Amino acid sequence: MLRSCELITFAKKQDERGVLVALEGESHEVPFSIERVYYISSVPSNCRRGFHAHKDLEQVLVCVCGSVSILVDDGYSQDTIVLSGCDKGLYIGPMVWREMFSFTEGAALVVLASKHYDAADYLSDYNEFKRLVVGAAAEEKEERE
Ligand code: TYD
């Protein structure tokens, strides 16, 4: 898994009445203060979404129903995670390109985010994303030397 991503397992409260999962911000489940929640559903199985990175946003994705594949790319390597199960969350840090695809019928993807919606925080051009990643790495290297 990429350094800036992590698959988190949440505690399930399960009994004969069903399953309950509780998520709190600034905890080991969601390592930031939750400022926004949005969800994605009714996605046709042949549809791919995302195609962007965020400059400064943390998110935890939970596929509460069905499953979805998520490609994450930090500019150097890629991983694809099949996210399913209401007790699994995918943490994605800043500067990670993501694409979501293969939504199963009825899948619902809930996203917890560290900031309000800001269109200016999006990097929707892969080449620009890559340029910024490489530039930041060069700056870090210079500072170390
Ligand atoms: P979009 O970024 O295209 O979704 P995806 O990341 O899955 O490709 O978002 C679809 C629309 O929803 C777009 O018009 C922006 C809007 N939007 C909001 O208004 N608030 C939000 O928090 C998000 C994530 C999107």
Side-chain angles (χ1 to χ4, degrees):
M1 181 75 88
L2 307 185
R3 234 176 357 141
S4 31
C5 295
E6 190 188 340
L7 193 62
I8 305 165
T9 300
F10 308 133
K12 277 203 281 193
K13 324 269 176 190
Q14 187 160 12
D15 58 30
E16 62 286 353
R17 297 168 304 159
V19 177
L20 184 152
V21 175
L23 303 179
E24 296 190 356
E26 297 178 286
S27 67
H28 81 278
E29 295 137 347
V30 182
F32 51 80
S33 166
I34 302 165
E35 293 295 322
R36 175 167 52 113
V37 177
Y38 64 93
Y39 23 94
I40 296 173
S41 58
S42 308
V43 180
S45 60
N46 61 353
C47 200
R48 223 171 156 101
R49 305 187 58 125
F51 295 97
H52 63 260
H54 288 281
K55 293 178 216 163
D56 185 25
L57 184 74
E58 295 175 277
Q59 295 184 313
V60 170
L61 284 62
V62 188
C63 194
V64 290
C65 196
S67 79
V68 58
S69 295
I70 303 177
L71 174 145
V72 284
D73 177 338
D74 63 5
Y76 295 103
S77 56
Q78 295 189 340
D79 272 320
T80 297
I81 296 103
V82 179
L83 192 60
S84 72
C86 58
D87 62 335
K88 295 281 183 256
L90 177 64
Y91 169 85
I92 305 182
M95 296 305 283
V96 176
W97 186 267
R98 84 284 315 269
E99 296 173 20
M100 291 91 85
F101 57 100
S102 295
F103 285 78
T104 56
E105 200 179 338
L109 182 66
V110 173
V111 183
L112 312 175
S114 64
K115 294 196 172 170
H116 286 190
Y117 177 69
D118 176 8
D121 186 61
Y122 279 66
L123 294 167
S124 303
D125 175 337
Y126 186 83
N127 292 328
E128 187 197 354
F129 159 71
K130 180 88 191 178
R131 262 197 309 278
L132 288 172
V133 168
V134 171
E139 252 175 48
E140 259 176 44
K141 188 166 176 255
E142 234 169 64
E143 271 166 27
R144 277 200 308 270
E145 286 168 359

